[in-house]
Structure formats: C-alpha cells, structure tokens
Amino acid sequence: MKRSIIKSLCFLSAVLILSLPLYAAAADTIKIGATEPLSGTFKDIGERYLDGVVYAAKVINAKGGLLGKKVEVVPIDSELKPDVATRKAQNLIMKDDVRFFCGGTGSSVGAAMSQLAERENVIMYTYGMAAATMTGAKCNRNFFRPCANTDQQSYALAELIARKGYGKVAIIAQDYSFGQEALAAFKKKLAQANPSAKIVAELYHPAGTKDYAPYISQIIAAKPDVIFTPNWGNDLTILLKQGRPMGMSQKIFSYYINDEVTIQALGDDSLMIGNMGAEVYTLSIPTKKNEEFVASFYKDMGYYPTWLRGKAYVATMFWAEAVKKAGTTDVDAVIKAWEGLTYDGPAGLWTMRACDHQAQMPLWYTEIVAKTKFFDHAFEAPAGMAEAKDVSVPCAETGCIMKKK
Amino acid sequence: MKLKTNSYIVIIVLFLLGAVMPLVLRRYNLFMLTEIIIFALYAVSYNLLLGYAGLLSFGHAMFFGLGAFVAAVSIIHIPGLTLLSAVIISLVITTITGFLIGGLLLRHKGAYFALLTMAFNALFYAVATKWHSVTGGDDGLSISRPEMDLGFASLSVSSVSSFYYLILIVVGASIVFCWYFTHTAMGKTVLLMRENEERMKFLGYNTNISRLILFTFTGAIAGLAGAFYTLHFQFVSISAISIDMTTAVLLMVFVGGTRTFWGPILGAFVYIIFQNYLSDITDRWPLFMGLIFVFMVLYVPGGLSQTIVSIRQWFSGRTGTQDNGPAKAEET
C-alpha cells in the first residue's frame, strides 16, 4: 500500500512538472493580442481584421519598431464566444505579461474583454465592435474605440439622406439590440437634419430571415424615396436578392455596403449599383495619405486593404501613436497619452475623446458603381466625407461616467 | 480499516502538496490549477451518476450552468453579498432544481433518461439565451469577485493565490465529502442498485427514492462547481450551460476512467492541461480532444485510471482481477 501511495505521488509530481511550460522571456517585443473569430462562420471577417493588425505591426517594425522594440501580434481565436476570448486573454496576461488587446468582431466579446481589461489593468481597443453602449453606459478607462459606433454610422447616413433631399424614407432592421439601436439613432438624426423628412415604413424582422416577401411588399406599398438598413451578412444579401426582382428599386443606404465579399457573393452587380454606405475607412478615400497606404499595401500583399483591413490598420497605427507619445508600455501612461490624442492617418484626422474613449473622426460615404480601378465587379466610387462634428454624439448624451484612477 | 487510513493519508498529503503549490508555481499555472480543482469537482459529481449509479446523463451542464448563473445574477443584483452567501444561494437553488427535475426523471433509465436530461439541458440553454435581461444572453455576465466574510473579519480573495487557497480548501473538502458519500450506506445502496435493482427492490429498498437523492446530490455538487467557476473567471456566458459543457465533463470522466473515484479528477487534470496547451498550438483542439475520446472509448474503456491500476498490478505481480465497480477500486 505504501508503494502505491509513493507511486501515485510520483505520478502527480510528474504531471505537475510536465504542466510547467517552457519559459521563454521575450522582453524586447511589445505584444498585442488580437481577439478574432479565426474558426467557424465568421472566420473570413476575423481573418481580414487580423490581416490589418498584422500589416500595421509590419509597417511599424519596418520603421524600427515601437520605442525600439518589435511589435508582435498574437492571434487569439475567440470563436466569437466571450468566455473563450477572455479565458485566452487572461492566460496571455499571466503567462506573457501581454498588456494590449484588440478585436473587431462581436460586441459580446468586446464587452467581456472590456471588463477583463479594467480588472487586469490592460488596454483593449476595438476597430469594429460597434455597440454604442461600450463607450456609453458600460464605458471604462481601459477600453478604447478607434472606430465608429452605431450612433455615428447612423448619423452619417441620416445626414447624407437629409443633404440629398430625400423626403420619404423606409427603414428596416434586424430585431435585436444592434438593429434597434441603429434605427433609433437614425431617426433621431434625420429629425434634426431634415425635420420635414418622413419615415414611411419602419420594419423589424428576426435576424436570419429567409423570406422577405412580406417586408418587401410593405416597403413597396409605402413608396419611399430611399431605404435605410443596418442589415449585414445574409440579411443584407437576401433582402437585395428578393427585393430587386419584386420591384423594390430604391437606393439602399446601409452600414456595410462596401464589403467586397458581399458584392462577390451576390454575383449580380445590378443589385448593388447605386447603393450607398458610410464607414470610417473605405478603399476609395481620395486623400494622398490613403492613396500611398493603398499602393504600398498592394505592393506588399498583392491585394487591397478593403474596409476591414483598413479599419484594423488605422486603429492599430493610432494605438502605436499613443504608445509612442507615452514613451513607455506602462498601461496607465498609455491611457493618459491616448486621451485627447490626435492622429492624422489615411482616413483623415482622428481624435480620441477623453470623456468616453470614443474616437471622433470623419465618416466616408460612398456609392457603389459598376466600374472601379480596384475590382472587376462593382465597387465603391471615390468617397465623400461626413465631417466629424456632424456625426458626433455629445459627451453628455453617451451615458458614460468615466471612473478616474 | 487499513484501506481507509491509507486513503486519509493520501488526502492529507494531497492537501499539503496543494498548499505549497503557490510557492512553486507561477501565477499562470496556479490559475490553471484552480480551474482544474473546480472541474475535478464537476467531474466527480458526474461520475457519481455515471460510474456509481450507471446513469448516463446528457444534461449535467444544466446544473453547472444554473449554479454559475445564479451566482453571477445574485452577485450583480444583491449589493454587498458575500462570496459564501452567493455560493450558498447557488447551492440551494440547484438542489431544489435537481429535486424537481429528478422527480420527473426518476422512473426512466438508459436511453430515455439520457434523452430526457438532454431535453432539459436544451430547455435551460434556451432560457439562458433568450432571457437577455437576466442572463445577458450572448453577452454573458461579468462580475467582480466579492470578499469573503468570515464573521469576524472579511478576507479579500482577489489575488490568484488567495483564491486558489479558498478553492483548495472549500472545493477540495467538497471532493472529499463526495468520496465520503460513496462510503456511506446511501453510497453503497447506489452501487448495489446499479448491479441488481430487482434484488434491491425485493430487499425492501425504494430504489426510486435512492435515485432521486443521488440525482439531487450530484446536481447540487455540479451547481457548486458552477458557482466557483463563475467566481474563478469572474465571467459567465451561455457556454457554461450549453451541451458543450456536458461534453466536456463526459470527456474528463471517460479519459480519467469511470471505475475509480479518483479517475475523473485525473481526467479533469488532463483535460484542462490539454485544452490550454492544445489551444495555444492549434485552433482545432476540439478535434484532437475528440480523437482522444474515440481512442479511449475504443481501446481503454477504463480510462487512464484503469491503465494506472493495471500497471501497478503488473508491477506488484498480482494477477489482474478486473474491478467491476468503483467500490473495489479505491486502493489508492
């Protein structure tokens, strides 16, 4: 019996020893953990975002790195599950002392990462998680959003519709928090920008609807001038595919119209031509800085930095500016340096607002046209700019109470 | 008698070994060890159903997840709630739920039992997903770990090592309690029931009631593990109550072996370590876990613990009489 005790203890200690990882200290790099869905349904989105971050790191490293150190991107497959993302991030914090995290897909992942960042005092920034509450009621000092939120995007499109003088608007969205928030912000801004404009139809459908016929006939019956929708993925493509043949011929204003994968998946350019979208980054921004960026990206990678890649790139360069200004990777110093910082990049002048850590930037609206220099299929025409002040939500209206440390 | 003394020695040595771990291990490994202990409790509770009573449940995650969510929701909504009160609330609610569901299930065995537990799990999952205002839906719930209130002093368990000690003592004691349970008359009844229920009935036992007690007990223990899971990660999402969590515990128990009490503990150890290292290396780690599972079920049905027992018997030159129940295999 004694021997059996000794043996089991031997076994136990063997397991423990095996569980000690090989420790490799790498103090000469600055690590960023990028939480993206790298497997499953949204793999394609996650990979394109990650691509942008990796390219930003490459550009920084080619110029001698950040504070003399190399930037290393650690991909974290979030599987689009908040518990998986936080668990892996927690491990990286404890194992490798990673202090910076970013991500673009899934506001649920972002909300959980934001809380983790506050608890562990690391920085999380997002270039794609759009739920307004993350820099609103749920804001905290360790979370930054160098990209637009649903409010800003809706504001930009409402502003655009008002400016173009459309009087009757139909709006349709997925029936969950994202869709509802987007429409609420849109209605608010449209009423300010063009008080005479009328919402002739306001429709909500379950996310993942297959048959749009009832919604489309309601839209057609309401005879709008234009249609606004924050739909994305299949909910956007099916709406177009079923709606156009039924006679829903109005221009569509949408958040995510400039996705080359969606346009390719539609397989019929005529469904898309004429539609308009607004984003913080589009390939067709007609500034010199952007043209240089697009050209060098194309030279290095052999393809274009379309919206997701561009957004992730610009946001990561913005973060690098903050670290550079802080002169250290100390989290508190970087937070302080980033607040109020201005970055003049490919997508115009971006300012990180201190009151809610929501970047203020112009939005770029663009129309889908048949011929562009980028792709064989229809894509975005040169973009126009909606100024930062026109799409901004005042600090007092965000609901954010930023705790000071 | 000798057997029991030896077991006690092992338990004490394990606790002592556990107590020095914070001095040896780095923060990251200590965090992982905490997780392992919590999942060991979950796996042990599952094995009481599967290994001891021969009841294959596909719905154990409903208790784990319920415990996890109740802990999170009560911490969020009751200001000033102490850590142990949150755990006790979870324990009470999972016990009641276990009793109610157990009452509906106790007449069913085998495939019917398995499918019904799965159906209940799906029901709980659906509620957790849809009841957004309470459970946070897809977003999950973040909490901050409350303090321990010992009556005379309040203790902060926010650091990795202090929380580890709490888990080692409280969850460790719960595992020991489960082990003790298997040695009580009630525990033996469960075993005999698995072996020959007809005879037990003739002897005058009400097997339905025994099964109900066992089901409630294991549900409560899984809920306890769930509550500590929430406190450990300070976050809970619908993954905790999904069928994946049942699959995870099935894997742990099968890898560790159902025939011994300590098999599932070993299984939890191996599973968590594998999960952490494999997921570092490859995004396809569930595939490898699946392959291991298939391999274990096909070639080593007794699990790792069985292999260890066989090796030990081979070394000590004893003829390998195959154990057919956990009751006989507690020689450790």
Side-chain angles (χ1 to χ4, degrees), chain B residues 166-208:
Chain B
L166 173 77
I167 291 295
L168 180 71
I169 294 164
V170 179
V171 178
S174 310
I175 295 176
V176 174
F177 180 72
C178 289
W179 171 79
Y180 178 77
F181 174 81
T182 62
H183 287 79
T184 58
M186 175 65 213
K188 303 276 186 212
T189 316
V190 170
L191 265 185
L192 295 172
M193 218 162 64
R194 182 193 66 190
E195 292 305 316
N196 194 336
E197 189 171 344
E198 288 303 306
R199 176 180 283 178
M200 290 295 285
K201 278 183 182 160
F202 280 124
L203 287 172
Y205 285 93
N206 188 334
T207 52
N208 281 344

Side-chain angles (χ1 to χ4, degrees), chain A residues 13-33:
Chain A
S13 38
V15 172
L16 283 176
I17 289 163
L18 283 175
S19 67
L20 290 167
L22 298 168
Y23 186 53
D28 55 340
T29 61
I30 298 176
K31 289 195 170 104
I32 321 181

